[in-house]
Amino acid sequence: MTKPAGEKPGSQTPMRSGEWFAREGKYGFIPRSWMRSQGFGPELFDGRPVIGICNTWSELTPCNGHLRDLAEFVKRGVLLAGGYPLEFPVMSLGEPLMRPTTMMFRNLVSMDVEETIRANPIDGVVLLAGCDKTTPALLMGAASCDIPSVLVSGGPMLNGRFRGRELGSGTDVFRFDEDYRTGRLSREEYAEAEAAMSRSAGSCMTMGTASTMASLSEAMGIALPMNGSIPAVDSRRSRLAEEAGGHIVSLVRSGTTISRILTRAAFENAIVVNGAIGGSTNAVVHLLALAGRLGVPLTLDDWDRLGADVPCLVDLKPSGRFLMEDFYYAGGLAALMKRIEDRLDLSARTVEGAAIGDRLKRADCYDDAVIRRRDDPVTELGGIVVLRGNLAPEGAVLKPSAASPRLMSHRGKALVFDNADDYRARIDDPDLEVDADTVLVLLNAGPVGYPGMPEVGNLTLPAKLLAQGVTDMVRISDGRMSGTAYGTVVLHVSPESAIGGPLALVRTGDEIVLDVASRSLELKVDEAELQRRHAELVLPPPYFERGYGHMFINSVQQAHQGVDFDFLVGATRIQPSKVSF
Ligand code: FES
């Protein structure tokens, strides 16, 4: 070695990248020489922090289509702070295009991130994410290495506008679809609305899963202030990316790894904030999985205990009226957090090297209609409630702020669909025996049954009931729901039907009782009959016989455990000297 491995002159912090670039002889010559082929100079090899910019840019992920531009600002921030940036791609997950569902690939991307970081001379990483699953996937991968990390989100699209009306991604698609199916919207109007909804770069501008995960990253301190809400095309988003480049260099120099930021306190804060923003139910599985990677004890019940009684204060679609652009102008997440600061652990650390409470000192709300006061909430219960009973022994979730108050206590007869295809084939049958009190039950939509647990849980109502003016019904499944969707929808029923969970035992005509106040979900069939049905149960054949899908269904955990692979739980700390030659 010409000098201590990777140590920057004057610094006591050894750089992991030095194990590649500071070596004597051919093992140093090879990485240096080949990196020079890209025009990189000796500064890359002089011991300064090498910062990976992990990019999920892809033209197949429209919400992340601008991330290569954003990466340039991160690079400038890294260079200004004395680091050396190296951008690398990982698999991207585009919600609108991928089949069967992006969730099937979240864990795969996390492995891509983890192994790319682990295998390369990277000292710290900036994670560029946007569309729903890209944020948890990147955080999970970085967490598994426990490397210094900052998350930068691509930001939400500008508000959609159509014929004088504001449009929210996803949320208004569901409304348009109902209007189209019932003849209230023409084909031409339907096509016109497509262009009006998505009119700029960025992710869905409702408080869907992408905005929820970007906001919760901000709440957990792993992303900078305003990360969740600055519009994708606002110049302040570029400035945020540049600042992130500076902060990651500081984090590397101080040896502050992601596990120092994503502590139990950070997760607890995130659960409380999720209630106050009326966040997506998908955050439940993502945060459970992320906590599992870090060894942070977090359970499904923590969501109810910590967040269920948090009032929803952000009046954003799908639960409310406004959109992410309005949220930013109103003061963003810091203003919201200030309104619930008595519920937060203000000492939790952030990537700026300070406490999360420091962010709130400068926060102010500029629009009480968008960020409501505590005495004027959008809904009293903004968080996620966890239901249990003989239908969901390991739990199920429901988002009260997106549901109908009149259905919070409901007794109805089940109408069972064996799978998503069966549902699609029969739901609009004019002879279907269904009324507004019926409980729609969808089987085989869980992690194994429909690999990845797709967002099919908010079953569209039967056309004949929509025509009668019915707007909501109780729906139950082991699937998920889009963060932009709404309705009285019981999701993530665990264990799932495809592995023999009790949901598989429901028959059309059975009585089901939902009582949110007592957190209860019961199938009113006597135990002897349930045992008889269980004995006769025939499980569906495996969805995949080979390849990644095969690995997925054999390794995936259930919803109450975060849908992570069993072999990925727990971090393997990145080692500074795992050079194999
Ligand atoms: Fe990408 Fe909604 S489809 S964020």
Side-chain angles (χ1 to χ4, degrees), residues 349-383:
R349 294 183 67 172
T350 68
V351 289
E352 306 99 283
I356 195 89
D358 291 340
R359 292 183 180 178
L360 310 192
K361 290 176 187 157
R362 300 184 300 277
D364 219 344
C365 177
Y366 307 109
D367 191 338
D368 287 343
V370 178
I371 304 174
R372 303 277 199 93
R373 295 186 313 275
R374 282 282 277 273
D375 60 2
D376 180 32
V378 181
T379 59
E380 294 288 346
L381 298 178

PDB file of all heavy atoms in Angstrom, residues 349-383:
ATOM      1  N   ARG A 349     -32.538  11.138  14.916  1.00  0.00           N
ATOM      2  CA  ARG A 349     -31.485  11.780  14.106  1.00  0.00           C
ATOM      3  C   ARG A 349     -31.882  11.890  12.648  1.00  0.00           C
ATOM      4  O   ARG A 349     -32.694  11.111  12.148  1.00  0.00           O
ATOM      5  CB  ARG A 349     -30.183  10.977  14.209  1.00  0.00           C
ATOM      6  CG  ARG A 349     -29.592  10.979  15.589  1.00  0.00           C
ATOM      7  CD  ARG A 349     -28.284  10.233  15.605  1.00  0.00           C
ATOM      8  NE  ARG A 349     -27.258  10.933  14.812  1.00  0.00           N
ATOM      9  CZ  ARG A 349     -25.983  10.572  14.798  1.00  0.00           C
ATOM     10  NH1 ARG A 349     -25.577   9.547  15.500  1.00  0.00           N
ATOM     11  NH2 ARG A 349     -25.103  11.231  14.078  1.00  0.00           N
ATOM     12  N   THR A 350     -31.238  12.810  11.968  1.00  0.00           N
ATOM     13  CA  THR A 350     -31.480  12.999  10.539  1.00  0.00           C
ATOM     14  C   THR A 350     -30.162  12.980   9.774  1.00  0.00           C
ATOM     15  O   THR A 350     -29.086  13.056  10.369  1.00  0.00           O
ATOM     16  CB  THR A 350     -32.147  14.361  10.269  1.00  0.00           C
ATOM     17  OG1 THR A 350     -31.188  15.398  10.561  1.00  0.00           O
ATOM     18  CG2 THR A 350     -33.387  14.557  11.114  1.00  0.00           C
ATOM     19  N   VAL A 351     -30.278  12.942   8.467  1.00  0.00           N
ATOM     20  CA  VAL A 351     -29.071  12.923   7.637  1.00  0.00           C
ATOM     21  C   VAL A 351     -28.313  14.246   7.665  1.00  0.00           C
ATOM     22  O   VAL A 351     -27.161  14.312   7.254  1.00  0.00           O
ATOM     23  CB  VAL A 351     -29.386  12.549   6.161  1.00  0.00           C
ATOM     24  CG1 VAL A 351     -29.765  11.093   6.037  1.00  0.00           C
ATOM     25  CG2 VAL A 351     -30.465  13.467   5.587  1.00  0.00           C
ATOM     26  N   GLU A 352     -28.929  15.297   8.193  1.00  0.00           N
ATOM     27  CA  GLU A 352     -28.186  16.553   8.352  1.00  0.00           C
ATOM     28  C   GLU A 352     -27.286  16.509   9.576  1.00  0.00           C
ATOM     29  O   GLU A 352     -26.547  17.462   9.840  1.00  0.00           O
ATOM     30  CB  GLU A 352     -29.121  17.753   8.505  1.00  0.00           C
ATOM     31  CG  GLU A 352     -30.156  17.944   7.438  1.00  0.00           C
ATOM     32  CD  GLU A 352     -31.508  17.411   7.884  1.00  0.00           C
ATOM     33  OE1 GLU A 352     -31.669  16.169   7.855  1.00  0.00           O
ATOM     34  OE2 GLU A 352     -32.379  18.202   8.240  1.00  0.00           O
ATOM     35  N   GLY A 353     -27.381  15.456  10.371  1.00  0.00           N
ATOM     36  CA  GLY A 353     -26.569  15.347  11.574  1.00  0.00           C
ATOM     37  C   GLY A 353     -27.215  16.022  12.775  1.00  0.00           C
ATOM     38  O   GLY A 353     -26.572  16.221  13.799  1.00  0.00           O
ATOM     39  N   ALA A 354     -28.481  16.392  12.634  1.00  0.00           N
ATOM     40  CA  ALA A 354     -29.187  17.045  13.734  1.00  0.00           C
ATOM     41  C   ALA A 354     -30.362  16.171  14.157  1.00  0.00           C
ATOM     42  O   ALA A 354     -30.488  15.021  13.715  1.00  0.00           O
ATOM     43  CB  ALA A 354     -29.665  18.416  13.281  1.00  0.00           C
ATOM     44  N   ALA A 355     -31.203  16.713  15.027  1.00  0.00           N
ATOM     45  CA  ALA A 355     -32.405  15.995  15.458  1.00  0.00           C
ATOM     46  C   ALA A 355     -33.575  16.411  14.582  1.00  0.00           C
ATOM     47  O   ALA A 355     -33.620  17.536  14.071  1.00  0.00           O
ATOM     48  CB  ALA A 355     -32.701  16.303  16.917  1.00  0.00           C
ATOM     49  N   ILE A 356     -34.549  15.517  14.455  1.00  0.00           N
ATOM     50  CA  ILE A 356     -35.711  15.811  13.605  1.00  0.00           C
ATOM     51  C   ILE A 356     -36.459  17.035  14.151  1.00  0.00           C
ATOM     52  O   ILE A 356     -37.031  17.825  13.386  1.00  0.00           O
ATOM     53  CB  ILE A 356     -36.650  14.578  13.510  1.00  0.00           C
ATOM     54  CG1 ILE A 356     -37.643  14.733  12.348  1.00  0.00           C
ATOM     55  CG2 ILE A 356     -37.410  14.332  14.797  1.00  0.00           C
ATOM     56  CD1 ILE A 356     -37.170  14.226  11.052  1.00  0.00           C
ATOM     57  N   GLY A 357     -36.399  17.228  15.455  1.00  0.00           N
ATOM     58  CA  GLY A 357     -37.077  18.377  16.053  1.00  0.00           C
ATOM     59  C   GLY A 357     -36.517  19.701  15.552  1.00  0.00           C
ATOM     60  O   GLY A 357     -37.235  20.708  15.508  1.00  0.00           O
ATOM     61  N   ASP A 358     -35.231  19.700  15.161  1.00  0.00           N
ATOM     62  CA  ASP A 358     -34.632  20.954  14.664  1.00  0.00           C
ATOM     63  C   ASP A 358     -35.318  21.421  13.387  1.00  0.00           C
ATOM     64  O   ASP A 358     -35.386  22.612  13.109  1.00  0.00           O
ATOM     65  CB  ASP A 358     -33.134  20.764  14.415  1.00  0.00           C
ATOM     66  CG  ASP A 358     -32.378  20.579  15.717  1.00  0.00           C
ATOM     67  OD1 ASP A 358     -32.925  20.968  16.775  1.00  0.00           O
ATOM     68  OD2 ASP A 358     -31.269  20.027  15.682  1.00  0.00           O
ATOM     69  N   ARG A 359     -35.787  20.450  12.588  1.00  0.00           N
ATOM     70  CA  ARG A 359     -36.470  20.835  11.346  1.00  0.00           C
ATOM     71  C   ARG A 359     -37.770  21.598  11.638  1.00  0.00           C
ATOM     72  O   ARG A 359     -38.175  22.446  10.860  1.00  0.00           O
ATOM     73  CB  ARG A 359     -36.818  19.590  10.517  1.00  0.00           C
ATOM     74  CG  ARG A 359     -35.643  18.853   9.950  1.00  0.00           C
ATOM     75  CD  ARG A 359     -36.135  17.698   9.104  1.00  0.00           C
ATOM     76  NE  ARG A 359     -35.024  16.940   8.534  1.00  0.00           N
ATOM     77  CZ  ARG A 359     -35.187  15.853   7.791  1.00  0.00           C
ATOM     78  NH1 ARG A 359     -36.402  15.400   7.548  1.00  0.00           N
ATOM     79  NH2 ARG A 359     -34.130  15.225   7.303  1.00  0.00           N
ATOM     80  N   LEU A 360     -38.388  21.233  12.750  1.00  0.00           N
ATOM     81  CA  LEU A 360     -39.709  21.790  13.027  1.00  0.00           C
ATOM     82  C   LEU A 360     -39.639  23.228  13.529  1.00  0.00           C
ATOM     83  O   LEU A 360     -40.615  23.966  13.451  1.00  0.00           O
ATOM     84  CB  LEU A 360     -40.453  20.915  14.037  1.00  0.00           C
ATOM     85  CG  LEU A 360     -40.496  19.416  13.725  1.00  0.00           C
ATOM     86  CD1 LEU A 360     -41.501  18.715  14.620  1.00  0.00           C
ATOM     87  CD2 LEU A 360     -40.815  19.139  12.253  1.00  0.00           C
ATOM     88  N   LYS A 361     -38.451  23.619  14.035  1.00  0.00           N
ATOM     89  CA  LYS A 361     -38.326  24.986  14.564  1.00  0.00           C
ATOM     90  C   LYS A 361     -38.568  26.020  13.470  1.00  0.00           C
ATOM     91  O   LYS A 361     -39.066  27.105  13.730  1.00  0.00           O
ATOM     92  CB  LYS A 361     -36.927  25.177  15.160  1.00  0.00           C
ATOM     93  CG  LYS A 361     -36.714  24.393  16.444  1.00  0.00           C
ATOM     94  CD  LYS A 361     -35.285  24.529  16.942  1.00  0.00           C
ATOM     95  CE  LYS A 361     -35.062  23.598  18.136  1.00  0.00           C
ATOM     96  NZ  LYS A 361     -33.637  23.273  18.303  1.00  0.00           N
ATOM     97  N   ARG A 362     -38.197  25.665  12.230  1.00  0.00           N
ATOM     98  CA  ARG A 362     -38.341  26.634  11.135  1.00  0.00           C
ATOM     99  C   ARG A 362     -39.651  26.434  10.376  1.00  0.00           C
ATOM    100  O   ARG A 362     -39.925  27.138   9.414  1.00  0.00           O
ATOM    101  CB  ARG A 362     -37.179  26.479  10.139  1.00  0.00           C
ATOM    102  CG  ARG A 362     -35.807  26.699  10.745  1.00  0.00           C
ATOM    103  CD  ARG A 362     -34.720  26.626   9.684  1.00  0.00           C
ATOM    104  NE  ARG A 362     -34.677  25.337   8.994  1.00  0.00           N
ATOM    105  CZ  ARG A 362     -34.059  24.257   9.471  1.00  0.00           C
ATOM    106  NH1 ARG A 362     -33.437  24.316  10.638  1.00  0.00           N
ATOM    107  NH2 ARG A 362     -34.063  23.118   8.798  1.00  0.00           N
ATOM    108  N   ALA A 363     -40.429  25.452  10.789  1.00  0.00           N
ATOM    109  CA  ALA A 363     -41.616  25.090  10.003  1.00  0.00           C
ATOM    110  C   ALA A 363     -42.803  25.997  10.314  1.00  0.00           C
ATOM    111  O   ALA A 363     -42.972  26.456  11.438  1.00  0.00           O
ATOM    112  CB  ALA A 363     -41.999  23.646  10.297  1.00  0.00           C
ATOM    113  N   ASP A 364     -43.598  26.249   9.299  1.00  0.00           N
ATOM    114  CA  ASP A 364     -44.807  27.046   9.467  1.00  0.00           C
ATOM    115  C   ASP A 364     -45.856  26.557   8.473  1.00  0.00           C
ATOM    116  O   ASP A 364     -45.505  26.074   7.396  1.00  0.00           O
ATOM    117  CB  ASP A 364     -44.498  28.522   9.202  1.00  0.00           C
ATOM    118  CG  ASP A 364     -45.250  29.413  10.171  1.00  0.00           C
ATOM    119  OD1 ASP A 364     -46.204  28.919  10.804  1.00  0.00           O
ATOM    120  OD2 ASP A 364     -44.881  30.600  10.291  1.00  0.00           O
ATOM    121  N   CYS A 365     -47.103  26.700   8.839  1.00  0.00           N
ATOM    122  CA  CYS A 365     -48.185  26.324   7.925  1.00  0.00           C
ATOM    123  C   CYS A 365     -48.763  27.579   7.286  1.00  0.00           C
ATOM    124  O   CYS A 365     -49.066  28.547   7.978  1.00  0.00           O
ATOM    125  CB  CYS A 365     -49.275  25.557   8.676  1.00  0.00           C
ATOM    126  SG  CYS A 365     -50.670  25.153   7.601  1.00  0.00           S
ATOM    127  N   TYR A 366     -48.927  27.534   5.966  1.00  0.00           N
ATOM    128  CA  TYR A 366     -49.419  28.698   5.233  1.00  0.00           C
ATOM    129  C   TYR A 366     -50.834  28.495   4.694  1.00  0.00           C
ATOM    130  O   TYR A 366     -51.353  29.379   4.011  1.00  0.00           O
ATOM    131  CB  TYR A 366     -48.465  29.026   4.074  1.00  0.00           C
ATOM    132  CG  TYR A 366     -47.034  29.162   4.536  1.00  0.00           C
ATOM    133  CD1 TYR A 366     -46.077  28.193   4.204  1.00  0.00           C
ATOM    134  CD2 TYR A 366     -46.647  30.222   5.341  1.00  0.00           C
ATOM    135  CE1 TYR A 366     -44.772  28.295   4.661  1.00  0.00           C
ATOM    136  CE2 TYR A 366     -45.341  30.331   5.800  1.00  0.00           C
ATOM    137  CZ  TYR A 366     -44.412  29.369   5.460  1.00  0.00           C
ATOM    138  OH  TYR A 366     -43.129  29.460   5.922  1.00  0.00           O
ATOM    139  N   ASP A 367     -51.404  27.344   4.937  1.00  0.00           N
ATOM    140  CA  ASP A 367     -52.755  27.111   4.442  1.00  0.00           C
ATOM    141  C   ASP A 367     -53.442  26.056   5.331  1.00  0.00           C
ATOM    142  O   ASP A 367     -53.227  24.848   5.155  1.00  0.00           O
ATOM    143  CB  ASP A 367     -52.715  26.632   2.983  1.00  0.00           C
ATOM    144  CG  ASP A 367     -54.088  26.635   2.337  1.00  0.00           C
ATOM    145  OD1 ASP A 367     -55.091  26.597   3.083  1.00  0.00           O
ATOM    146  OD2 ASP A 367     -54.161  26.668   1.103  1.00  0.00           O
ATOM    147  N   ASP A 368     -54.274  26.540   6.237  1.00  0.00           N
ATOM    148  CA  ASP A 368     -54.949  25.631   7.174  1.00  0.00           C
ATOM    149  C   ASP A 368     -55.991  24.739   6.503  1.00  0.00           C
ATOM    150  O   ASP A 368     -56.481  23.788   7.122  1.00  0.00           O
ATOM    151  CB  ASP A 368     -55.636  26.437   8.283  1.00  0.00           C
ATOM    152  CG  ASP A 368     -54.631  27.009   9.266  1.00  0.00           C
ATOM    153  OD1 ASP A 368     -53.481  26.532   9.284  1.00  0.00           O
ATOM    154  OD2 ASP A 368     -54.996  27.948  10.007  1.00  0.00           O
ATOM    155  N   ALA A 369     -56.343  25.057   5.251  1.00  0.00           N
ATOM    156  CA  ALA A 369     -57.292  24.185   4.556  1.00  0.00           C
ATOM    157  C   ALA A 369     -56.595  22.912   4.081  1.00  0.00           C
ATOM    158  O   ALA A 369     -57.209  21.846   4.019  1.00  0.00           O
ATOM    159  CB  ALA A 369     -57.910  24.916   3.369  1.00  0.00           C
ATOM    160  N   VAL A 370     -55.328  23.030   3.740  1.00  0.00           N
ATOM    161  CA  VAL A 370     -54.572  21.871   3.241  1.00  0.00           C
ATOM    162  C   VAL A 370     -53.977  21.078   4.400  1.00  0.00           C
ATOM    163  O   VAL A 370     -54.062  19.847   4.433  1.00  0.00           O
ATOM    164  CB  VAL A 370     -53.459  22.325   2.269  1.00  0.00           C
ATOM    165  CG1 VAL A 370     -52.641  21.128   1.800  1.00  0.00           C
ATOM    166  CG2 VAL A 370     -54.062  23.062   1.079  1.00  0.00           C
ATOM    167  N   ILE A 371     -53.345  21.790   5.324  1.00  0.00           N
ATOM    168  CA  ILE A 371     -52.816  21.142   6.536  1.00  0.00           C
ATOM    169  C   ILE A 371     -53.692  21.632   7.685  1.00  0.00           C
ATOM    170  O   ILE A 371     -53.526  22.746   8.177  1.00  0.00           O
ATOM    171  CB  ILE A 371     -51.334  21.503   6.772  1.00  0.00           C
ATOM    172  CG1 ILE A 371     -50.483  21.145   5.540  1.00  0.00           C
ATOM    173  CG2 ILE A 371     -50.808  20.780   8.016  1.00  0.00           C
ATOM    174  CD1 ILE A 371     -49.035  21.593   5.631  1.00  0.00           C
ATOM    175  N   ARG A 372     -54.632  20.808   8.065  1.00  0.00           N
ATOM    176  CA  ARG A 372     -55.641  21.236   9.027  1.00  0.00           C
ATOM    177  C   ARG A 372     -55.063  21.372  10.439  1.00  0.00           C
ATOM    178  O   ARG A 372     -54.073  20.723  10.788  1.00  0.00           O
ATOM    179  CB  ARG A 372     -56.772  20.215   9.072  1.00  0.00           C
ATOM    180  CG  ARG A 372     -57.441  19.943   7.743  1.00  0.00           C
ATOM    181  CD  ARG A 372     -58.506  20.964   7.410  1.00  0.00           C
ATOM    182  NE  ARG A 372     -59.370  20.410   6.394  1.00  0.00           N
ATOM    183  CZ  ARG A 372     -60.500  19.746   6.638  1.00  0.00           C
ATOM    184  NH1 ARG A 372     -60.910  19.538   7.874  1.00  0.00           N
ATOM    185  NH2 ARG A 372     -61.223  19.271   5.638  1.00  0.00           N
ATOM    186  N   ARG A 373     -55.739  22.168  11.225  1.00  0.00           N
ATOM    187  CA  ARG A 373     -55.389  22.270  12.641  1.00  0.00           C
ATOM    188  C   ARG A 373     -55.857  21.012  13.376  1.00  0.00           C
ATOM    189  O   ARG A 373     -56.743  20.298  12.908  1.00  0.00           O
ATOM    190  CB  ARG A 373     -56.041  23.507  13.270  1.00  0.00           C
ATOM    191  CG  ARG A 373     -55.538  24.841  12.695  1.00  0.00           C
ATOM    192  CD  ARG A 373     -56.129  26.007  13.496  1.00  0.00           C
ATOM    193  NE  ARG A 373     -57.554  25.856  13.721  1.00  0.00           N
ATOM    194  CZ  ARG A 373     -58.497  26.227  12.849  1.00  0.00           C
ATOM    195  NH1 ARG A 373     -58.150  26.775  11.706  1.00  0.00           N
ATOM    196  NH2 ARG A 373     -59.767  26.022  13.115  1.00  0.00           N
ATOM    197  N   ARG A 374     -55.291  20.790  14.543  1.00  0.00           N
ATOM    198  CA  ARG A 374     -55.650  19.596  15.326  1.00  0.00           C
ATOM    199  C   ARG A 374     -57.133  19.584  15.692  1.00  0.00           C
ATOM    200  O   ARG A 374     -57.740  18.519  15.807  1.00  0.00           O
ATOM    201  CB  ARG A 374     -54.813  19.540  16.616  1.00  0.00           C
ATOM    202  CG  ARG A 374     -53.404  19.051  16.420  1.00  0.00           C
ATOM    203  CD  ARG A 374     -53.308  17.554  16.263  1.00  0.00           C
ATOM    204  NE  ARG A 374     -53.289  16.835  17.534  1.00  0.00           N
ATOM    205  CZ  ARG A 374     -52.211  16.590  18.236  1.00  0.00           C
ATOM    206  NH1 ARG A 374     -51.038  17.009  17.810  1.00  0.00           N
ATOM    207  NH2 ARG A 374     -52.280  15.900  19.356  1.00  0.00           N
ATOM    208  N   ASP A 375     -57.721  20.783  15.878  1.00  0.00           N
ATOM    209  CA  ASP A 375     -59.139  20.816  16.264  1.00  0.00           C
ATOM    210  C   ASP A 375     -60.072  20.789  15.048  1.00  0.00           C
ATOM    211  O   ASP A 375     -61.274  20.910  15.193  1.00  0.00           O
ATOM    212  CB  ASP A 375     -59.429  22.050  17.136  1.00  0.00           C
ATOM    213  CG  ASP A 375     -59.114  23.360  16.408  1.00  0.00           C
ATOM    214  OD1 ASP A 375     -58.712  23.308  15.230  1.00  0.00           O
ATOM    215  OD2 ASP A 375     -59.262  24.431  17.024  1.00  0.00           O
ATOM    216  N   ASP A 376     -59.500  20.620  13.874  1.00  0.00           N
ATOM    217  CA  ASP A 376     -60.321  20.576  12.660  1.00  0.00           C
ATOM    218  C   ASP A 376     -59.770  19.529  11.690  1.00  0.00           C
ATOM    219  O   ASP A 376     -59.389  19.828  10.565  1.00  0.00           O
ATOM    220  CB  ASP A 376     -60.303  21.971  12.003  1.00  0.00           C
ATOM    221  CG  ASP A 376     -61.138  22.011  10.726  1.00  0.00           C
ATOM    222  OD1 ASP A 376     -62.149  21.282  10.647  1.00  0.00           O
ATOM    223  OD2 ASP A 376     -60.764  22.766   9.799  1.00  0.00           O
ATOM    224  N   PRO A 377     -59.691  18.261  12.127  1.00  0.00           N
ATOM    225  CA  PRO A 377     -59.046  17.247  11.276  1.00  0.00           C
ATOM    226  C   PRO A 377     -59.908  16.850  10.078  1.00  0.00           C
ATOM    227  O   PRO A 377     -61.119  17.078  10.072  1.00  0.00           O
ATOM    228  CB  PRO A 377     -58.882  16.058  12.234  1.00  0.00           C
ATOM    229  CG  PRO A 377     -60.012  16.198  13.201  1.00  0.00           C
ATOM    230  CD  PRO A 377     -60.211  17.677  13.385  1.00  0.00           C
ATOM    231  N   VAL A 378     -59.255  16.240   9.100  1.00  0.00           N
ATOM    232  CA  VAL A 378     -60.000  15.666   7.970  1.00  0.00           C
ATOM    233  C   VAL A 378     -60.815  14.487   8.477  1.00  0.00           C
ATOM    234  O   VAL A 378     -62.005  14.348   8.176  1.00  0.00           O
ATOM    235  CB  VAL A 378     -59.031  15.203   6.850  1.00  0.00           C
ATOM    236  CG1 VAL A 378     -59.807  14.623   5.671  1.00  0.00           C
ATOM    237  CG2 VAL A 378     -58.143  16.347   6.410  1.00  0.00           C
ATOM    238  N   THR A 379     -60.171  13.625   9.232  1.00  0.00           N
ATOM    239  CA  THR A 379     -60.864  12.536   9.930  1.00  0.00           C
ATOM    240  C   THR A 379     -60.206  12.350  11.298  1.00  0.00           C
ATOM    241  O   THR A 379     -59.015  12.619  11.457  1.00  0.00           O
ATOM    242  CB  THR A 379     -60.768  11.189   9.173  1.00  0.00           C
ATOM    243  OG1 THR A 379     -59.386  10.852   9.016  1.00  0.00           O
ATOM    244  CG2 THR A 379     -61.430  11.254   7.817  1.00  0.00           C
ATOM    245  N   GLU A 380     -60.991  11.914  12.237  1.00  0.00           N
ATOM    246  CA  GLU A 380     -60.456  11.706  13.590  1.00  0.00           C
ATOM    247  C   GLU A 380     -59.422  10.590  13.606  1.00  0.00           C
ATOM    248  O   GLU A 380     -58.448  10.640  14.334  1.00  0.00           O
ATOM    249  CB  GLU A 380     -61.591  11.353  14.564  1.00  0.00           C
ATOM    250  CG  GLU A 380     -62.585  12.479  14.804  1.00  0.00           C
ATOM    251  CD  GLU A 380     -61.997  13.604  15.657  1.00  0.00           C
ATOM    252  OE1 GLU A 380     -60.943  13.396  16.264  1.00  0.00           O
ATOM    253  OE2 GLU A 380     -62.611  14.686  15.703  1.00  0.00           O
ATOM    254  N   LEU A 381     -59.672   9.543  12.786  1.00  0.00           N
ATOM    255  CA  LEU A 381     -58.765   8.396  12.749  1.00  0.00           C
ATOM    256  C   LEU A 381     -58.063   8.368  11.393  1.00  0.00           C
ATOM    257  O   LEU A 381     -58.659   8.013  10.383  1.00  0.00           O
ATOM    258  CB  LEU A 381     -59.532   7.091  12.951  1.00  0.00           C
ATOM    259  CG  LEU A 381     -60.263   6.904  14.282  1.00  0.00           C
ATOM    260  CD1 LEU A 381     -61.003   5.585  14.288  1.00  0.00           C
ATOM    261  CD2 LEU A 381     -59.276   6.962  15.445  1.00  0.00           C
ATOM    262  N   GLY A 382     -56.806   8.778  11.381  1.00  0.00           N
ATOM    263  CA  GLY A 382     -56.104   8.845  10.104  1.00  0.00           C
ATOM    264  C   GLY A 382     -55.245   7.641   9.817  1.00  0.00           C
ATOM    265  O   GLY A 382     -54.889   7.383   8.673  1.00  0.00           O
ATOM    266  N   GLY A 383     -54.907   6.899  10.845  1.00  0.00           N
ATOM    267  CA  GLY A 383     -53.931   5.831  10.679  1.00  0.00           C
ATOM    268  C   GLY A 383     -54.530   4.531  10.169  1.00  0.00           C
ATOM    269  O   GLY A 383     -55.628   4.490   9.622  1.00  0.00           O
TER     270      GLY A 383
END
